[in-house]
Amino acid sequence: MDLSANEANQQENANAMVKVRTIKDIAELAGVSTGTVSRALAGSELISKKTRAKIQALADEHGFRPNVLARNLRIQKTGAIGVLIPLGHEKGQHISDPFFITMLGLLADRLTEKGYDLLLSRVIPTDGSWLERFVDSGRVDGLIVIGQSDQVETLDKVAARYRPLVVWGGYTEGQVHCSVGSDNRKGGYIAAKHLIERGCNRLAFFGDPKALEIGQRLEGCRQAMAEAGLSEKLSVLPAHLVAEAAHPDIANYLGSVGERPQGIVAASDVIAMSALRALAEFGLAVPGDVHVIGYDGLAIGEQTVPRLSTVSQDLTQGAHHLVDMLLRRIAGEDTQSVVMEPELIVRMSS
Amino acid sequence: MDLSANEANQQENANAMVKVRTIKDIAELAGVSTGTVSRALAGSELISKKTRAKIQALADEHGFRPNVLARNLRIQKTGAIGVLIPLGHEKGQHISDPFFITMLGLLADRLTEKGYDLLLSRVIPTDGSWLERFVDSGRVDGLIVIGQSDQVETLDKVAARYRPLVVWGGYTEGQVHCSVGSDNRKGGYIAAKHLIERGCNRLAFFGDPKALEIGQRLEGCRQAMAEAGLSEKLSVLPAHLVAEAAHPDIANYLGSVGERPQGIVAASDVIAMSALRALAEFGLAVPGDVHVIGYDGLAIGEQTVPRLSTVSQDLTQGAHHLVDMLLRRIAGEDTQSVVMEPELIVRMSS
DNA sequence: TAGAAAAATGCAATCGATTGTATTAAGCGT
DNA sequence: ACGCTTAATACAATCGATTGCATTTTTCTA
């Protein structure tokens, strides 16, 4: 290796050594201006093919990635969608809850498909500002809120001025914010009717009607019972939503109730699973002694023994709706709330 | 209402009308410079108590929130941690998988606690650059990767230069990246030993040993069988990880196998649940005819019928480790990989 | 080959905050 | 009331990219 080769080599090493972090570094290396680099990297036709190629080569030789923050600040977009879970109505409810988690996964899948990232934040609404704070932080291009909890007012207030916001949950007449959810009343009706058709005369509803959606499901149940002339035969147990908390509720109930219900309408699949387990512990056969039906259509319902009958909300489609509508709202379009058809899925527990 | 009051009122309205979006708007309103506003909002002692109060009042009167992007660009921090799920080794695996989802929820809970947001991204590693791209995008302060998939090399390569990176998964001698996970060999050993003690002589292992962690679990099983002089009595079914795909694998296996195993060691709780269901469909009692044990310690294991025995990884503690170690690495400390003790949880299926 | 049109590139403002330094105002002693 | 120290605030550079407009270079026509 002669001297000049050595020098050339050192030069090359020196080049490789330069830590290329910014567009400016690339610009210096290529002997052009930062503007040119920016355009070249964006594949702009304004830049000649030759320099474009050269700059791009340089860029991936050094593994250069433009700083997303700076870019976002300039173009006023973030490429991220915020997903908020207001944990208002039930203490101790974690993000780890199967329903949230399922919805979250589906949203993540869909958003990723559409080229967005997902910024997750659990919020415990202490005052009304939790939403506003997020909205105004400029960190996301849009917001999906999972569940209305007891925050309908806050949601309506913010929705009035901040357009890229969609909510998973129930729909009520006159609601300002754009929501996606299933027809809970109808779902409850279907569930109860199914059990009645299976020969159940006494039903129990497991779930706390204080939450909007659950209340609506209960209404549906009531209607079905009324139509069958069984209005008096429906009892309600305001069981917790969280699996660990639901189980004792249910076990207590089953242990102390006078006339055992012939059918159980659970307000969620998680509650239904707790019910299945409690029934098994009491030595009651499902569906022999008691018929059970859940609500949500979660995948785990396939894995229970017996496999869980349920009213399915088609969360996959729901997630698609949420994302697609949000993107349309971001684009400036207007959108209507979506109320999806619930679907009865009869498996083995009813 | 006299004229002057009216005017004052209009003035006030005019003020309120001005859309206060930036620190500059506030500055003008308060008649000070932007620097002063920035410091006042940060509660700096450099600013007199009086103006500080005035500015803060102004700020929340107009519901002003500083732009996070700009702030982050300036201070070179993002306040977000990226969570990546490389979906390499198994096609069709969604984020919606119960294990990911559980881990994700726990991480979200912990990160939120620590004041970080969670930026979720599903990646399908086509080439080796998926990680680098994320690392260099400057969008996050640190990275948690859930599962090594078949990307150990990539992880090692990036870990060598990018410090704030931790990985959930198995630990292998000489590994460069910092990992948190349970002692899979020991876990597999415990599971098999437990079933052997329950009187099982023929065991089946359900799970695909191509994945690092699962391979290690199988090794543990083998060792336990060897110690009991039953080396020949272990069969392996490389079942899929995904519940929907695992069930047919298992049903086929149970339908065609010659001598039925007396015990099943499943490589995950999800696989175990599929096994429970398949066994029930074949009319086999658990644990009467077949003993079953899972792996992971997921919450849903509590809700199966019969409740699932499992080797628990304490994901909660794992998530805490991941987050805490990551924060320490961000702070510049060095950290060692953590190998947690797996714990046998005997419930009703074994 | 001059001159005009077209193509390629450079320049500098901008996004919205933070922060070191310069500058002004206030406070104090004599 | 004057200089001097200290407290309070203003100024301006900065983070890293984008982009309209000005400028230079190239290409083509007459």
Side-chain angles (χ1 to χ4, degrees), chain B residues 57-314:
Chain B
L58 228 33
D60 54 47
E61 175 194 342
H62 292 80
F64 168 77
R65 327 275 174 194
N67 181 301
V68 180
L69 249 50
R71 169 167 213 280
N72 288 343
L73 175 59
R74 181 59 231 248
I75 67 176
Q76 301 277 294
K77 297 209 163 215
T78 69
I81 299 295
V83 173
L84 292 191
I85 303 181
L87 301 178
H89 58 295
E90 192 140 5
K91 68 205 168 298
Q93 192 172 24
H94 268 205
I95 287 187
S96 322
D97 179 275
F99 175 80
F100 285 156
I101 263 354
T102 303
M103 184 50 106
L104 191 59
L106 292 169
L107 287 174
D109 285 341
R110 184 63 167 188
L111 284 171
T112 307
E113 242 172 63
K114 296 288 188 176
Y116 280 90
D117 282 315
L118 158 24
L119 189 64
L120 177 62
S121 211
R122 177 181 72 144
V123 293
I124 299 172
T126 46
D127 54 355
S129 78
W130 57 279
L131 230 199
E132 318 231 34
R133 199 175 313 142
F134 215 90
V135 161
D136 295 331
S137 74
R139 213 171 357 195
V140 294
D141 293 340
L143 225 44
I144 296 176
V145 177
I146 304 184
Q148 287 137 331
S149 183
D150 49 8
Q151 301 288 314
V152 176
E153 282 174 42
T154 307
L155 289 169
D156 273 349
K157 182 171 148 225
V158 171
R161 72 169 174 92
Y162 182 73
R163 315 224 49 266
L165 168 70
V166 295
V167 179
W168 170 267
Y171 176 77
T172 332
E173 201 61 46
Q175 163 183 304
V176 178
H177 62 274
C178 178
S179 69
V180 175
S182 67
D183 186 335
N184 292 298
R185 241 174 299 262
K186 187 158 178 186
Y189 178 86
I190 289 174
K193 184 137 185 235
H194 170 64
L195 294 191
I196 293 168
E197 282 168 358
R198 284 288 202 248
C200 303
N201 291 322
R202 281 187 314 282
L203 290 190
F205 180 90
F206 286 6
D208 190 342
K210 278 209 294 288
L212 174 65
E213 295 165 77
I214 295 185
Q216 295 176 337
R217 288 170 200 172
L218 176 55
E219 278 178 39
C221 273
R222 285 234 162 81
Q223 189 189 337
M225 291 298 271
E227 286 179 8
L230 297 169
S231 290
E232 304 303 311
K233 304 293 192 135
L234 176 66
S235 51
V236 175
L237 168 67
H240 286 83
L241 276 180
V242 188
E244 299 82 48
H247 180 260
D249 289 348
I250 295 169
N252 279 340
Y253 175 84
L254 290 176
S256 64
V257 71
E259 263 189 325
R260 193 194 316 129
Q262 299 163 315
I264 293 175
V265 178
S268 78
D269 281 350
V270 173
I271 294 177
M273 287 183 73
S274 296
L276 287 183
R277 178 182 149 206
L279 289 167
E281 286 166 359
F282 275 89
L284 295 169
V286 176
D289 298 321
V290 182
H291 296 256
V292 176
I293 186 164
Y295 203 110
D296 279 344
L298 299 186
I300 41 169
E302 280 281 4
Q303 310 299 326
T304 58
V305 180
R307 286 161 55 230
L308 186 65
S309 294
T310 190
V311 177
S312 167
Q313 302 199 69
D314 196 346

Side-chain angles (χ1 to χ4, degrees), chain A residues 217-252:
Chain A
R217 289 169 200 171
L218 177 55
E219 279 178 40
C221 271
R222 284 232 161 82
Q223 190 188 336
M225 290 298 271
E227 285 180 9
L230 298 169
S231 290
E232 305 304 310
K233 305 292 191 138
L234 177 66
S235 52
V236 175
L237 167 69
H240 285 83
L241 276 180
V242 187
E244 299 82 49
H247 180 261
D249 289 348
I250 295 168
N252 279 340

Side-chain angles (χ1 to χ4, degrees), chain A residues 100-147:
Chain A
F100 285 154
I101 264 352
T102 302
M103 185 50 104
L104 190 60
L106 292 169
L107 288 174
D109 285 342
R110 185 63 167 186
L111 284 170
T112 307
E113 244 171 61
K114 296 287 188 179
Y116 280 90
D117 282 315
L118 158 20
L119 190 63
L120 178 62
S121 210
R122 177 180 73 146
V123 293
I124 298 171
T126 45
D127 54 355
S129 78
W130 57 278
L131 231 198
E132 320 231 33
R133 198 175 313 143
F134 215 92
V135 161
D136 296 330
S137 74
R139 218 185 336 210
V140 294
D141 293 340
L143 225 43
I144 296 175
V145 176
I146 305 186

Side-chain angles (χ1 to χ4, degrees), chain A residues 12-13 24 40 56 60 78 96 100 122 125 141-142 179 201-202 209 239 245 251 265 291 296 307 313 317 325 344:
Chain A
E12 198 172 280
N13 278 344
K24 199 174 155 199
Q56 273 164 354
D60 53 49
T78 69
S96 324
F100 285 154
R122 177 180 73 146
D141 293 340
S179 70
N201 291 320
R202 282 187 313 281
V265 177
H291 296 258
D296 281 343
R307 287 162 53 232
Q313 304 200 66
Q317 205 200 330
M325 286 171 54
L344 178 66

Side-chain angles (χ1 to χ4, degrees), chain A residues 327-347:
Chain A
L327 297 188
R328 276 163 49 202
R329 293 180 78 88
I330 289 176
E333 276 181 63
D334 215 341
T335 58
Q336 300 269 303
S337 286
V338 169
V339 177
M340 299 188 302
E341 282 299 294
E343 187 194 355
L344 178 66
I345 296 186
V346 180
R347 290 197 278 242

